[in-house]
Amino acid sequence: MHPHLHTKDNTDNKTDSSVTRTACEEVMTALEECHARGFLWKSIGMCSGVKDQVTLCLRAERLKRTAHNREVARAKREKIQKVWTEIDQNS
């Protein structure tokens, strides 16, 4: 189960007419609509396909975010390493 689908971590940071949209908004909305149909609808597995799509979409977004964070960290590490090398050479 996904606790809160519409969070800052799920945003794409692209703005369309000053509204922040999520990358998986359509799929998350479809899941919420499916759940709104009632308990019986959920309990017999009618929302499972949509839930799987949400899981795959959120995973893809998380992997993109992780790759971006890794690149930022690598650049920061290289910058720090370069500064320390310059300090060592000048000492």
Side-chain angles (χ1 to χ4, degrees):
M1 176 161 217
H2 302 287
H4 299 288
L5 295 177
H6 301 285
T7 63
K8 69 175 181 64
D9 293 333
N10 298 331
T11 59
D12 196 14
N13 295 329
K14 292 181 182 176
T15 56
D16 262 3
S17 66
S18 72
V19 175
T20 303
R21 294 179 170 241
T22 59
C24 304
E25 177 121 24
E26 292 178 15
V27 182
M28 290 187 289
T29 302
L31 180 63
E32 289 175 354
E33 289 172 359
C34 187
H35 285 178
R37 290 184 178 175
F39 172 75
L40 190 57
W41 191 263
K42 289 189 301 186
S43 66
I44 60 174
M46 298 302 288
C47 300
S48 296
V50 179
K51 184 178 180 299
D52 291 340
Q53 291 175 353
V54 169
T55 301
L56 291 175
C57 186
L58 292 177
R59 181 177 189 275
E61 291 301 310
R62 180 180 49 82
L63 291 176
K64 286 181 199 174
R65 195 172 54 248
T66 302
H68 172 71
N69 289 343
R70 189 176 301 118
E71 290 300 317
V72 169
R74 182 175 290 126
K76 187 175 180 180
R77 230 181 2 259
E78 289 173 359
K79 181 180 175 185
I80 291 171
Q81 187 66 30
K82 187 183 293 184
V83 169
W84 276 109
T85 303
E86 289 176 9
I87 289 173
D88 289 341
Q89 288 175 353
N90 294 333
S91 294

